[in-house]
Amino acid sequence: MEKKAQAARKGVSPEVNTGYAKKLARMIACKTVWTHDGENVAEFQKFYGVIDELFPNLAARAKKLTFGGGCFVYVIEGKNAKENIMLMSHHDVVDGDETWQTDPFTPTEKDGYLYGRGTIDTKTPLFAELQAAEELLAEGYAFEGISLYIGSSNNEEVCGDGMVLAADYFRKNGIRFYAVVDEGGAITEGQIPGVSCKSAVVAVHEKSRHLFRCKAKIETKGHGGFGGQTDSAIARLSRFITEVSEKKDKIYKGKFYSEVRATFERHVPYMAFPMNFLFGNVGLFAPLIKKIMMGIPAASAMLSTGLSFTTVNAGDLRDPQIRAKTAETTMFLRCIREEDLYAGLEKIKKIGAKYGVTVEEMERDYCVPTDFEGEAYKTVEALLHENFPDVAVAPFLLTAGTDARRFSDIADNILRFAPIDLNKKQFATIHNADEHIGIENIGQCVVFYKDLIQKL
């Protein structure tokens, strides 16, 4: 399929884009790197002042909720509102280092791009969301039938409590969302093999997080100096960890989940032979494709539950001559479907029983998949075809994590996508040096969010 000219995309004039870039640059210039000791608190306060100054209509007319140390949510109550929608993008960023060609917090324009930490992850989407709402307010848009929420956490990069507290507030106050739209997917190139154009991938699901405490306990008898003891809590736990690790791929076998399958099938029209034939017949070639993907770590994460042991505790360092009566490890599982996780867990418990190891769930953080045949996804899909007619559009599974997962039980649809357009070089700068966004793309993001608010 021939790629259409980028001129067909919806956007704004170069003059307007220049103005947008200047406003975004002021947000980038704030070093909003979250630290446990509050080292950058002045930069966060500076950032909130910049937001108030850049978006006066929002500051004056929207209700602002704050949670924890800096998570904020703007609320625009719509006329005859029956539904709520939430747009999200966090404002904390990872730090920069000396490998940058420029100072990461001194925004620099070069060759049609704006360089600076957060230009991709995720101050450009946040700017575009706020600017879209600001302009709609200025234009007298009534937000008929919906109330708009725009949320941004201050500690997403460290899995902080910002959006956890916000979600608790909405839960307690009976506020439910028709749709939550957060980061996760983007417009990228080269992520799907054999595709001749860029792809707008919208994550309809993300892998969950489950923590389990695996504990071995044994009664020690006799004096420690009277001969060796081959059986101990530490030895039992070690044998358990070893066997589970060795059998991991048999406990959790890979499979094609619906959203993963759809990622490839929706790209078939943009593939050349033989890739279009291979992925156009996934059912026929599933064993071969699965075997190839399971050998690639990034790809295998899309097919199976991830399992790792993250901590081990035993004994007392103050008196290392005393044998440990207990030993425990934390097992971290990331599943795609909970039923698969718990089915595999029964096998793990049987292994534990062999060594006297109990397995107890400590934390459950599961996301419910969003129906990519449903109305909310179809609305976003249609808008992407309208705003970015030169790209393929497909649902996909996010193997990373987002703040949106906090809303799984109070949202009918969670879609993880920001309309940032990234080539391979830009994609490689996420959490790395020289992060940058195309200036023309900034205006495209604003237009997309304005359309999204009105269509949702």
Side-chain angles (χ1 to χ4, degrees), residues 11 40 56 62 73 82 109 123 129 153 170 239 249 261 264 284 318 322 349 357 366 372 378:
N40 295 318
V73 178
K82 296 180 180 179
E109 291 188 27
K123 287 183 179 177
E129 292 164 357
S153 65
F170 297 130
R239 295 183 190 114
D249 292 341
R261 184 168 183 154
F264 294 103
L284 179 63
R318 295 170 299 180
I322 303 299
K349 287 182 176 179
V357 175
Y366 180 69
F372 56 84
K378 292 292 187 182

Side-chain angles (χ1 to χ4, degrees), residues 46 60 312 391 433:
K46 174 185 170 184
V312 175
V391 308

Side-chain angles (χ1 to χ4, degrees), residues 45-250:
Q45 293 305 315
K46 174 185 170 184
F47 179 80
Y48 304 138
V50 168
I51 294 294
D52 287 342
E53 185 179 339
L54 293 181
F55 309 104
N57 284 314
L58 269 176
R61 297 169 60 184
K63 179 168 65 175
K64 186 178 182 181
L65 307 173
T66 57
F67 306 94
C71 176
F72 64 81
V73 178
Y74 283 107
V75 185
I76 301 174
E77 295 181 353
K79 184 178 179 181
N80 302 317
K82 296 180 180 179
E83 300 281 5
N84 304 308
I85 65 170
M86 167 81 85
L87 304 182
M88 297 168 58
S89 290
H90 62 87
H91 58 273
D92 64 314
V93 297
V94 298
D95 210 343
D97 57 32
E98 69 280 354
T99 61
W100 280 69
Q101 296 180 25
T102 61
D103 186 304
F105 299 100
T106 301
T108 305
E109 291 188 27
K110 180 183 177 182
D111 300 328
Y113 293 92
L114 179 66
Y115 285 74
R117 176 61 84 213
T119 47
I120 295 174
D121 188 13
T122 58
K123 287 183 179 177
T124 294
L126 177 59
F127 163 77
E129 292 164 357
L130 295 171
Q131 183 65 29
E134 177 76 8
E135 292 181 11
L136 287 171
L137 286 171
E139 294 164 8
Y141 182 68
F143 295 88
E144 181 70 40
I146 69 156
S147 287
L148 174 66
Y149 293 68
I150 301 179
S152 183
S153 65
N154 60 313
N155 52 14
E156 187 273 349
E157 294 289 4
V158 294
C159 296
D161 64 352
M163 277 299 164
V164 174
L165 296 171
D168 285 344
Y169 169 85
F170 297 130
R171 202 172 286 114
K172 290 174 184 176
N173 286 275
I175 298 172
R176 188 172 183 84
F177 297 91
Y178 166 67
V180 171
V181 181
D182 195 7
E183 63 164 335
I187 299 171
T188 60
E189 66 176 0
Q191 301 299 306
I192 309 298
V195 174
S196 60
C197 64
K198 286 191 172 183
S199 304
V201 286
V202 182
V204 294
H205 189 30
E206 66 180 79
K207 295 187 77 169
S208 71
R209 293 164 170 77
H210 295 251
L211 291 176
F212 293 86
R213 180 184 292 108
C214 307
K215 187 173 183 177
K217 184 177 181 180
I218 191 169
E219 291 296 328
T220 58
K221 297 180 180 180
H223 192 282
F226 297 155
Q229 292 186 9
T230 58
D231 191 18
S232 68
I234 293 175
R236 289 186 177 192
L237 186 68
S238 298
R239 295 183 190 114
F240 166 77
I241 292 172
T242 299
E243 184 167 345
V244 171
S245 298
E246 289 176 346
K247 294 181 177 178
K248 180 174 62 175
D249 292 341
K250 294 181 179 178

Side-chain angles (χ1 to χ4, degrees), residues 118-125 420 422 426 429-430 435-437:
T119 47
I120 295 174
D121 188 13
T122 58
K123 287 183 179 177
T124 294
I420 46 177
L422 310 177
Q426 287 173 282
T429 66
I430 299 173
E435 185 179 348
H436 57 288
I437 194 75

Side-chain angles (χ1 to χ4, degrees), residues 32-53:
T32 52
V33 177
W34 195 91
T35 60
H36 287 280
D37 59 5
E39 180 182 348
N40 295 318
V41 65
E43 290 291 322
F44 277 91
Q45 293 305 315
K46 174 185 170 184
F47 179 80
Y48 304 138
V50 168
I51 294 294
D52 287 342
E53 185 179 339

Side-chain angles (χ1 to χ4, degrees), residues 390-410:
D390 55 315
V391 308
V393 182
F396 91 116
L397 168 71
L398 183 66
T399 56
T402 71
D403 269 336
R405 72 182 189 274
R406 315 297 189 183
F407 293 78
S408 191
D409 63 327
I410 54 172

Side-chain angles (χ1 to χ4, degrees), residues 232-440:
S232 68
I234 293 175
R236 289 186 177 192
L237 186 68
S238 298
R239 295 183 190 114
F240 166 77
I241 292 172
T242 299
E243 184 167 345
V244 171
S245 298
E246 289 176 346
K247 294 181 177 178
K248 180 174 62 175
D249 292 341
K250 294 181 179 178
I251 295 171
Y252 291 112
K253 298 178 181 180
K255 65 170 67 173
F256 275 106
Y257 294 89
S258 58
E259 57 269 32
V260 177
R261 184 168 183 154
T263 300
F264 294 103
E265 291 179 337
R266 300 286 174 91
H267 279 88
V268 168
Y270 305 89
M271 295 176 175
F273 185 82
M275 301 302 288
N276 59 352
F277 180 72
L278 182 67
F279 288 108
N281 297 277
V282 173
L284 179 63
F285 294 108
L288 173 62
I289 299 172
K290 188 175 75 171
K291 183 177 181 179
I292 294 171
M293 291 181 67
M294 289 299 290
I296 305 170
S300 66
M302 300 171 65
L303 301 182
S304 65
T305 296
L307 186 157
S308 60
F309 293 98
T310 56
T311 65
V312 175
N313 294 289
D316 189 342
L317 288 175
R318 295 170 299 180
D319 196 347
Q321 297 185 62
I322 303 299
R323 288 193 181 93
K325 294 183 178 180
T326 62
E328 63 180 58
T329 182
T330 303
M331 182 172 63
F332 182 40
L333 297 178
R334 297 201 64 201
C335 74
I336 301 168
R337 296 289 191 272
E338 262 193 332
E339 57 266 30
D340 295 330
L341 179 141
Y342 289 120
L345 190 66
E346 290 305 310
K347 299 176 183 178
I348 293 172
K349 287 182 176 179
K350 288 182 179 179
I351 295 173
K354 289 169 54 178
Y355 304 111
V357 175
T358 59
V359 180
E360 174 190 3
E361 190 163 39
M362 300 165 57
E363 182 179 319
R364 172 184 178 268
D365 188 358
Y366 180 69
C367 298
V368 178
T370 292
D371 181 9
F372 56 84
E373 299 293 349
E375 182 181 8
Y377 176 84
K378 292 292 187 182
T379 298
V380 173
E381 181 182 54
L383 280 175
L384 284 169
H385 284 304
E386 178 183 333
N387 288 49
F388 301 93
D390 55 315
V391 308
V393 182
F396 91 116
L397 168 71
L398 183 66
T399 56
T402 71
D403 269 336
R405 72 182 189 274
R406 315 297 189 183
F407 293 78
S408 191
D409 63 327
I410 54 172
D412 299 326
N413 302 277
I414 298 179
L415 302 170
R416 302 157 187 86
F417 175 82
I420 46 177
D421 183 4
L422 310 177
N423 57 36
K424 291 181 181 179
K425 182 178 180 181
Q426 287 173 282
F427 190 85
T429 66
I430 299 173
H431 284 204
N432 286 310
D434 302 324
E435 185 179 348
H436 57 288
I437 194 75
I439 292 176
E440 184 179 12

